[in-house]
Amino acid sequence: MTQNQVEKIEPWRERWLIGRTGWDQGRPHHELERLLQQATREGRLPAGARIFSAGCGRAHNEAWLAGQGYQVDAMDAVPEAIEGARALYATQSGLNLAVADVFAANAPAAAYDAVFDRAMLCAIQPEHRATYIQRITSRLKPGGLVMAILFRRTRTPEGPPFAVDEAEAQRLFADQFDLCHASSCPPPPNPQNVLEEWLCIWRKRSL
Ligand SMILES: C[S@@+](CC[C@H](N)C(=O)[O-])C[C@H]1O[C@@H](n2cnc3c(N)ncnc32)[C@H](O)[C@@H]1O
């Protein structure tokens, strides 16, 4: 496993090895279907779109999206996470799983119609957010969407995870994206450290 100069991977690997993966609810997120409906209606996400997801963990969300007919490339930097995803979803058509680091430089440019994010932007160290946004933005086609489930409030403000509220999301996205949709989520069934979540969909501006 090569280490990037941004988010350290080893602490994430340790969490996977000892099973400290409280974010993993063993199934797709309870608001994923509504997020997709909003992306289709308000974001005009095309049928069969290519979707990219970094930090997919065991890829419950990504497998569900693939099951809806999308072409999903999902990656996680930790091999054990992807092994877990393959154990569950190896036969899911439309789902491509890879061990890879989103901060690595060799990303395919402007290849995707959408990026999906659940518990990645809110999981990484806050000082790495701008670099993460830059990495996912470069993968998006002009007009492409970021479809995100963000943590609005967490139990421990010092993190992890680290809340991203509307003001912080505006600060991160507004330069290059327009907001298509924002709404509150019902509370997560298994809250762990997350007290409140929200959905948002951003469209990358065409230059
Ligand atoms: C909080 S978990 C969220 C997992 C999944 N999205 C979910 O909702 O179940 C964050 C994931 O990001 C992965 N990760 C951390 N840094 C990464 C990086 N630089 N590139 C790709 N994945 C990374 C971790 O291994 C972990 O599985």
Side-chain angles (χ1 to χ4, degrees):
M1 196 169 36
T2 53
Q3 294 287 313
N4 67 57
Q5 299 303 307
V6 191
E7 184 83 2
K8 288 192 168 45
I9 305 305
E10 215 37 65
W12 285 106
R13 184 157 194 232
E14 280 165 28
R15 292 185 74 122
W16 277 103
L17 288 173
I18 62 173
R20 275 189 62 214
T21 55
W23 62 79
D24 185 330
Q25 309 226 333
R27 58 182 181 278
H29 190 276
H30 60 292
E31 284 281 89
L32 181 59
E33 186 167 0
R34 191 166 68 84
L35 181 71
L36 182 60
Q37 283 168 357
Q38 297 297 353
T40 307
R41 278 188 213 139
E42 296 183 39
R44 301 188 301 280
L45 181 71
R50 284 195 74 191
I51 300 177
F52 171 72
S53 174
C56 64
R58 289 198 299 162
H60 308 298
N61 295 310
E62 292 75 7
W64 186 86
L65 288 167
Q68 306 305 303
Y70 298 94
Q71 296 299 312
V72 184
D73 289 343
M75 61 150 73
D76 200 289
V78 174
E80 287 76 10
I82 294 299
E83 278 168 24
R86 288 196 175 121
L88 292 168
Y89 302 119
T91 59
Q92 174 61 59
S93 65
L95 177 64
N96 176 35
L97 296 163
V99 179
D101 183 340
V102 70
F103 292 108
N106 56 349
Y112 292 93
D113 301 295
V115 167
F116 171 73
D117 183 300
R118 189 266 169 169
M120 181 62 183
L121 179 60
C122 294
I124 57 176
Q125 296 294 316
E127 64 267 28
H128 300 156
R129 285 175 182 164
T131 307
Y132 171 70
I133 302 288
Q134 187 265 323
R135 292 293 193 274
I136 60 173
T137 302
S138 70
R139 290 174 182 258
L140 275 176
K141 297 175 184 172
L145 304 178
V146 172
M147 320 185 293
I149 302 172
L150 300 180
F151 303 155
R152 185 183 274 141
R153 273 190 316 128
T154 57
R155 200 175 298 281
T156 49
E158 66 280 9
F162 305 94
V164 175
D165 63 10
E166 284 85 343
E168 173 66 355
Q170 279 288 344
R171 192 186 72 76
L172 291 167
F173 288 104
D175 275 0
Q176 298 181 79
F177 291 82
D178 295 314
L179 185 61
C180 300
H181 173 83
S183 60
S184 293
C185 281
N190 178 13
Q192 301 277 345
N193 289 326
V194 180
L195 298 176
E196 201 182 342
E197 294 175 289
W198 63 294
L199 308 183
C200 58
I201 299 169
W202 300 85
R203 181 190 301 288
K204 180 178 170 180
R205 275 184 218 116
S206 306
L207 293 178

